[in-house]
Amino acid sequence: MSNNFWPLVIYEYRKLFRRKILWITLGAMTALCIFAACSHLLGNAYVNGQVYESHGEALEKKIAFAKALSGRALDDMLLSEMQEGYAKVPNIPLAGVSREYQTYARPYEAIWQYAFLLAGDPAYKTITEEELYAARSEKLEQGWTNEQLGSREKEYLRATEEKVEKPFVFTYCEGWGVLANLMNMLCVLQLLLIAICIPPVFSGEHSCRTDQLIQSTGLGKKPLYLAKLLVGTTFSALSTLFLGMVLMGALFCVYGTEGADAALQLLNFRCVWPLTVGEGIRILFGLLLITALLRTVLAMLLSECFRSSTVPLALMSGFLLSVLLFRIPEEYRLLSGIWNTIPVNLVAVWEVFGSRLYPFFGTFLTPWQAVPVIYLLLGIGAAVLCFRRYKSFQAGGR
């Protein structure tokens, strides 16, 4: 078998790469990733019908101001400087374009956004360091209650939260933050790429009637099935990495590479895990790769069951739309937990680094620890079912 396996892999890759739809799809998705990274540079801001500044200029100022504050602790001193700057802004229409706002307040816009997110208006105008982190703790506790977490889960989360260093050190990490927010888009593109390119790996034999030739081979269907499985999974994983690297490269060209060592709490204040932004991104990419393997096997199973490449595309696209359009409230904890383990929901930075836990022999696992195991088991089960279907198919029984 070993002497015949790798030639089969090469042959299946050649068949895959000869499909024009693959290159069209991959090219369109590459262009979309680049556009998503650069879209904030497009357009202008208008005041009274006149161009005030371009979005590119606004982003350049935002980055410069955030970098100037990078490395400073989010404490009373920084909060008071932000409040003093905003106190100088006159209470007039279009105050955001006033000279006072541009001079005194805009340099602290990033700090204002974080304080406003935690405390709201008008509390951010007078909030102290102690009150800011107390407000965050209150929001954490309220969120755990809304998710109907048990007392042991809350104790586990509180103990983990104590490991997070405070006060937070504000660090410029805009490029990494936008990348984290676009992980949902990458997950959607991955599913569409797999749904379009992978099903023909199996259905092509049935549509071209070449499946009859396999019946006469001495080694049977197993080597060919394993070759197809390897080609499908490696292509999906590598294409996911390719799109991710394109998106990351384009974002870093616009925003810079700074901020990998920033606290993850700057991107998701509800996160209680002592992780950096760079570690969080690596976890998200790891989940995307595992997701690619599961989706590939499922696409192959659907392709073999229906002996068609259009049915898997329709089913997977329809399921994707249902996930994007609907949401199960957190009060239905079991159903909500299952729904949020679906890849598109899981790779959101607010979900994978949220407070949902999975019991495990007296302790708990985080979503990024538990879900890969679940995906692996589902993938193995789907691969076995697919092989049985592939092995039992009789060409004469069309």
Side-chain angles (χ1 to χ4, degrees), residues 221-242:
K221 295 183 177 181
K222 185 176 180 181
L224 182 58
Y225 173 78
L226 293 177
K228 290 177 179 291
L229 184 65
L230 178 62
V231 168
T233 53
T234 53
F235 168 77
S236 299
L238 291 175
S239 60
T240 298
L241 276 179
F242 171 75

Side-chain angles (χ1 to χ4, degrees), residues 146-289:
N146 293 340
E147 293 177 8
Q148 299 185 351
L149 301 185
S151 57
R152 289 186 61 248
E153 292 172 304
K154 291 182 180 180
E155 290 175 4
Y156 182 86
L157 292 171
R158 292 189 192 107
T160 306
E161 164 67 12
E162 291 178 359
K163 300 176 184 177
V164 178
E165 294 185 9
K166 302 180 189 69
F168 301 147
V169 176
F170 177 79
T171 307
Y172 171 76
C173 56
E174 190 72 14
W176 296 93
V178 178
L179 177 60
N181 291 331
L182 289 177
M183 281 294 175
N184 292 87
M185 183 197 75
L186 269 181
C187 197
V188 171
L189 295 182
Q190 178 197 79
L191 183 140
L192 294 176
L193 182 66
I194 290 173
I196 292 171
C197 299
I198 296 302
V201 171
F202 278 92
S203 64
E205 290 181 357
H206 303 302
S207 60
C208 296
R209 304 298 178 94
T210 57
D211 48 13
Q212 302 179 52
L213 299 175
I214 306 174
Q215 308 297 337
S216 61
T217 60
L219 297 176
K221 295 183 177 181
K222 185 176 180 181
L224 182 58
Y225 173 78
L226 293 177
K228 290 177 179 291
L229 184 65
L230 178 62
V231 168
T233 53
T234 53
F235 168 77
S236 299
L238 291 175
S239 60
T240 298
L241 276 179
F242 171 75
L243 292 176
M245 294 304 104
V246 169
L247 179 61
M248 183 182 294
L251 284 172
F252 287 167
C253 288
V254 175
Y255 296 95
T257 60
E258 300 90 341
D261 58 343
L264 191 56
Q265 285 71 23
L266 295 178
L267 300 186
N268 177 14
F269 76 89
R270 297 185 185 276
C271 173
V272 300
W273 315 108
L275 298 170
T276 65
V277 170
E279 291 170 338
I281 293 297
R282 286 196 293 271
I283 290 172
L284 289 172
F285 267 108
L287 289 173
L288 272 179
L289 292 178

